[in-house]
Amino acid sequence: MSKQYEIPVGAQHISLLEPLHFKFTTENEKIISTAANVYYVHRGIEQACCSKFKFRQVSFVVGRVCGLCSISHTTAYSQVAEKLLNLEIPRRAKYLRMLVIELDRIHSHLLCLIHVSENAGFEALFMKTMQYREFSMELLEAICGNRIQYDFSIVGGVARDLKLPVAHEVVGRLKRFKPELDELMDIFMHNWTLSLKNKGSGKITRETAMRLNVVGPFARAAGLAIDVRNETEDLLPWKEVGFEMITGEDGDVHARNIVRLKEIYVSINIIENIINGLPESELVTETKAFPDGEAVVRLEAPRGELFYYAKGNKTQVLERLKIKAPTFSNIAGMVEGFTGNEYGSVPAIIASYDPCLSCTAR
Amino acid sequence: MKKILTSPENLKADIRQFYNETQHHFIVMNAVEMGEQMEIQWFFCDYAHPAEMTCFYMQIPPGTLIPTITGVVSSAWVAEAELSDLMNVDIENTEKGFVLEPDSEAGPLRKKK
Amino acid sequence: MNKTNGMKTFLKALGNLVKKPVTVKYPFEQTYIPDDYRGLIEFDESLCIWCRRCEMVCPPGAIVFSQDMEGKHTYHYNRAVCIYCTECVRTCPKEGAIYQTAQPASCALKAENINNGWNALFEEALKSRAAYAAEKKRLAAEKAQAAKKDSALTIKQQGKCTNSP
Ligand code: SF4
Ligand code: SF4
């Protein structure tokens, strides 16, 4: 047996964007086992939601769980609250929610690709992708009025309407973005330097993904077709607007990049369909009821399945709110994915998991 | 959602009988305080029929040792570690301190009396 | 890499030298602000009916009303606590009493003492309202007592009247 080393990475490390800590046991350069420690940012949001805030205010609080997928959190919470209130929301609100979720997915996936290229040492691609991503941020700002915290979904519907000039702007900008996306696809697919760090590293198989209940692009890149958009029709009609399942095969960093890029194409398609067929209706269903009973909701956030559990007690304040973020399901898979890789590939692998620890620790 | 009542003695057998790696997806564990009792829940869904969710639950007084299901569902250790820290419940083979610093308050999500 | 490809890359790199930067030179140039940006919340005292609903719905507590002893309300708003969610505007029963502009908020300065100062102000405002409510209650009780006395007096007088033929 050769000599073993234990190398800690994090909680603060130059290649990490999130406060997480891995302890690698390596033999020379090869990682043979990993231990993870993920919680450094517990903020007690669930407790605050059940004690300090009224149930209508909670949709703004849970938006602050995560800066990247705040729309997924607010929408999932709004849906679970609507279930507790037995509320059917207007059709237009549903489509507008999907529109913002998909735009958010574009920016989040691009951000992940940015980190992968940066952590693999490809600074020029990092800047290029960052430049291309800016359009999605500006569109989100034009639709929601805020750049990061959209505060778009509220209990009963959505807070703002999509104005006609903004809708035209969205379509026009998406059209201009498509060739840029083709260019990115070409680079991520064929660039030789990038493939050195991406192809074959951080590999997990479909069986492992299944065994460890992995979700999101991480699972889909390994060939496990799990996507909440494919499953539930009652809350948001995804299939109606042109959702397609994207899966990869290899389950390595490269496959994850490609799955994300292909999903951006699907998102663009969905957004165009929504804008072309946006139904007219009210934006909010008002009610004076109080939440009662218990309900669960699943929603596909950019990183995978988001799960909300809520229990009401006929008062303004909820009895219990439980949030399960996508990264939480992926921790077990993340730890497994390092085994057998070289230590030098770790930054790129971590970035390709697209971990969001603020969501996980809440 | 289908809710199935179980108990600390039967949990492992129930889950083993129900759970099939290639068919079921384990979502998360949850605990709800209900007065004196505490309800512990395990959520699953089905890959083929994902809209059908299954929830195993049991009601126990706080302080009861909850059996682990990691033997059957390999990724459940994350959920167990989180729950044991945040709700201050005791779960078999789970050490406290994965989620919180050792010197932080125990069970921050418990209701303040 | 073949020769033509290398040439292309080289030319592109040369071209990049004279291209405009894609970033915005922020303090000197304005960044992108959409038309209906969520900006500062403005308040119109003349329209307000002082129902305090905006205060009740505001998630972070960025609005508070204080009250003086005559019962006159004063509106307080903190732009650094506000999350620009527009809930106050949505809930206001009187259109135009509170509205959102597209004006971005300016930075909070240390001299403004925007956190602790606001918390103190918030407490004070609640206290002032409680004080006014207590005062009103006291006055009402006094009035009720006076009225009781009054009515007792009139009954007495009435009794007197009836008693003396
Ligand atoms: S916009 Fe939202 S946070 Fe700001 S004052 Fe109104 S309700 Fe409060
Ligand atoms: S909700 Fe409107 S009317 Fe009521 S206090 Fe606020 S601004 Fe005035």
Side-chain angles (χ1 to χ4, degrees):
Chain A
M1 201 179 91
S2 54
K3 196 166 179 199
Q4 291 193 347
Y5 296 92
E6 272 193 0
I7 310 178
V9 170
Q12 282 169 18
H13 186 270
I14 161 165
S15 80
L16 286 174
L17 303 132
E18 304 266 346
L20 85 168
H21 168 99
F22 288 112
K23 194 153 82 196
F24 299 109
T25 310
T26 62
E27 255 180 41
N28 295 333
E29 281 283 295
K30 281 249 173 322
I31 295 168
I32 52 173
S33 75
T34 314
N37 193 350
V38 289
Y39 286 81
Y40 290 91
V41 279
H42 181 74
R43 288 168 287 163
I45 286 186
E46 286 171 9
Q47 178 68 297
C49 291
C50 306
S51 55
K52 201 165 182 286
F53 294 95
K54 297 176 193 144
F55 79 97
R56 280 183 194 277
Q57 297 175 336
V58 170
S59 67
F60 301 101
V61 183
V62 295
R64 271 75 191 162
V65 168
C66 178
L68 292 167
C69 50
S70 72
I71 181 68
S72 307
H73 282 275
T74 40
T75 308
Y77 172 72
S78 305
Q79 287 178 341
V80 84
E82 283 147 16
K83 272 194 177 174
L84 293 181
L85 295 168
N86 267 328
L87 203 64
E88 179 62 30
I89 68 160
R91 268 173 71 75
R92 192 178 174 89
K94 285 187 184 176
Y95 283 84
L96 287 177
R97 280 180 180 178
M98 286 194 288
L99 174 80
V100 179
I101 291 177
E102 287 310 310
L103 256 180
D104 183 68
R105 194 183 313 276
I106 293 182
H107 107 71
S108 175
H109 277 2
L110 282 174
L111 190 75
C112 171
L113 294 168
I114 288 163
H115 291 322
V116 173
S117 47
E118 189 198 14
N119 280 2
F122 202 155
E123 289 278 335
L125 183 58
F126 156 67
M127 287 179 202
K128 195 179 195 73
T129 323
M130 207 65 164
Q131 175 194 345
Y132 290 165
R133 168 177 171 266
E134 185 58 23
F135 91 99
S136 59
M137 304 300 290
E138 285 181 1
L139 286 183
L140 282 165
E141 195 173 354
I143 294 175
C144 310
N146 277 355
R147 190 179 154 98
I148 304 287
Q149 291 295 347
Y150 315 122
D151 294 339
F152 190 68
S153 293
I154 51 177
V155 176
V158 293
R160 289 156 71 99
D161 200 2
L162 180 69
K163 304 226 170 70
L164 198 63
V166 179
H168 284 308
E169 171 111 7
V170 173
V171 175
R173 291 259 199 136
L174 282 178
K175 204 178 254 159
R176 261 181 282 155
F177 171 64
K178 257 191 202 151
E180 296 171 348
L181 184 58
D182 292 338
E183 188 188 340
L184 288 182
M185 188 75 171
D186 183 50
I187 299 174
F188 276 98
M189 216 38 162
H190 303 298
N191 190 291
W192 177 74
T193 350
L194 201 62
S195 75
L196 289 178
K197 277 266 180 275
N198 284 1
K199 283 197 179 150
S201 44
K203 204 167 171 134
I204 67 164
T205 59
R206 183 168 183 272
E207 283 65 43
T208 319
M210 229 170 201
R211 181 165 56 82
L212 298 175
N213 299 301
V214 173
V215 297
F218 189 17
R220 294 198 282 277
L224 178 61
I226 173 168
D227 191 319
V228 186
R229 289 177 290 171
N230 196 26
E231 302 164 357
T232 47
E233 281 291 287
D234 52 333
L235 295 174
L236 294 175
W238 291 106
K239 283 189 193 147
E240 203 175 289
V241 290
F243 165 75
E244 283 168 55
M245 175 77 81
I246 304 286
T247 51
E249 271 173 14
D250 298 340
D252 55 0
V253 178
H254 178 74
R256 276 170 228 147
N257 291 345
I258 302 304
V259 163
R260 291 208 171 90
L261 282 164
K262 283 186 180 160
E263 280 185 7
I264 296 177
Y265 282 104
V266 175
S267 294
I268 292 177
N269 193 10
I270 293 180
I271 293 171
E272 281 170 351
N273 288 344
I274 290 176
I275 289 185
N276 289 335
L278 199 61
E280 287 293 332
S281 78
E282 295 280 295
L283 291 177
V284 190
T285 317
E286 299 287 353
T287 174
K288 292 225 154 56
F290 288 127
D292 186 26
E294 55 180 357
V296 294
V297 154
R298 294 164 72 221
L299 184 95
E300 185 75 13
R303 287 163 186 71
E305 170 205 56
L306 183 63
F307 173 90
Y308 267 71
Y309 168 93
K311 186 169 187 307
N313 50 5
K314 290 202 182 137
T315 60
Q316 285 275 12
V317 182
L318 293 174
E319 176 89 19
R320 173 94 169 101
L321 181 74
K322 164 88 191 167
I323 307 169
K324 197 246 3 158
T327 309
F328 183 81
S329 297
N330 285 351
I331 293 171
M334 274 157 55
V335 170
E336 194 97 346
F338 290 115
T339 314
N341 286 281
E342 299 215 326
Y343 179 71
S345 313
V346 163
I349 297 175
I350 294 179
S352 80
Y353 292 153
D354 206 2
C356 179
L357 271 302
S358 305
C359 283
T360 311
R362 307 175 301 276
Chain B
M1 191 174 66
K2 206 163 69 187
K3 274 190 107 173
I4 303 174
L5 181 68
T6 170
S7 63
E9 298 81 47
N10 300 339
L11 176 77
K12 275 186 187 171
D14 282 353
I15 301 272
R16 182 160 287 131
Q17 200 189 0
F18 165 81
Y19 184 75
N20 181 351
E21 217 167 83
T22 53
Q23 195 190 345
H24 294 113
H25 171 68
F26 170 67
I27 301 174
V28 79
M29 257 176 98
N30 182 28
V32 189
E33 274 178 278
M34 336 227 325
E36 288 299 296
Q37 298 284 72
M38 189 179 249
E39 181 170 318
I40 315 283
Q41 304 161 330
W42 289 261
F43 292 95
F44 293 89
C45 77
D46 194 320
Y47 285 120
H49 315 280
E52 293 165 21
M53 283 176 57
T54 314
C55 168
F56 284 89
Y57 74 103
M58 62 188 185
Q59 294 186 343
I60 50 165
T64 315
L65 184 72
I66 303 161
T68 172
I69 59 164
T70 308
V72 191
V73 188
S74 350
S75 69
W77 62 269
V78 188
E80 286 173 355
E82 187 204 42
L83 205 66
S84 76
D85 269 3
L86 295 185
M87 296 299 278
N88 198 15
V89 293
D90 297 319
I91 301 180
E92 194 187 337
N93 290 342
T94 306
E95 274 175 37
K96 297 225 158 71
F98 178 69
V99 174
L100 298 172
E101 296 301 314
D103 53 352
S104 52
E105 178 195 357
L109 294 193
R110 289 286 281 271
K111 285 240 157 60
K112 304 278 179 297
K113 290 277 147 49
Chain C
M1 203 185 278
N2 60 31
K3 225 177 194 170
T4 51
N5 227 343
M7 201 64 206
K8 241 203 240 155
T9 316
F10 180 67
L11 284 179
K12 210 167 176 185
L14 271 188
N16 277 346
L17 285 179
V18 291
K19 259 213 302 218
K20 246 182 73 189
V22 287
T23 45
V24 179
K25 299 202 166 40
Y26 167 59
F28 311 108
E29 268 176 52
Q30 187 49 261
T31 48
Y32 173 74
I33 292 182
D35 294 338
D36 47 359
Y37 178 75
R38 298 193 192 200
L40 287 172
I41 300 291
E42 295 286 346
F43 176 70
D44 187 344
E45 199 177 311
S46 61
L47 287 174
C48 180
I49 55 170
W50 313 110
C51 65
R52 294 190 205 145
R53 275 200 220 170
C54 48
E55 182 192 308
M56 282 185 274
V57 295
C58 179
I63 295 178
V64 72
F65 291 95
S66 63
Q67 215 170 12
D68 65 9
M69 277 312 175
E70 268 83 63
K72 195 183 165 318
H73 284 83
T74 317
Y75 161 88
H76 305 277
Y77 166 70
N78 187 332
R79 64 173 198 285
V81 173
C82 178
I83 55 169
Y84 305 98
C85 62
T86 337
E87 274 296 282
C88 47
V89 181
R90 269 174 28 82
T91 197
C92 179
K94 194 90 171 120
E95 199 165 321
I98 194 161
Y99 57 95
Q100 190 156 37
T101 61
Q103 177 71 34
S106 53
C107 299
L109 300 175
K110 193 180 173 194
E112 285 176 275
N113 190 13
I114 211 140
N115 271 332
N116 295 336
W118 173 254
N119 291 346
L121 179 75
F122 202 98
E123 292 295 309
E124 206 117 293
L126 295 189
K127 260 191 220 146
S128 75
R129 255 155 47 187
Y132 173 72
E135 175 72 11
K136 214 162 109 182
K137 211 166 151 194
R138 198 179 62 80
L139 284 179
E142 235 168 51
K143 218 171 161 187
Q145 205 140 46
K148 224 177 176 178
K149 242 188 218 163
D150 256 15
S151 64
L153 217 71
T154 39
I155 289 170
K156 238 190 204 165
Q157 276 170 359
Q158 274 169 359
K160 253 184 211 160
C161 287
T162 42
N163 274 355
S164 57

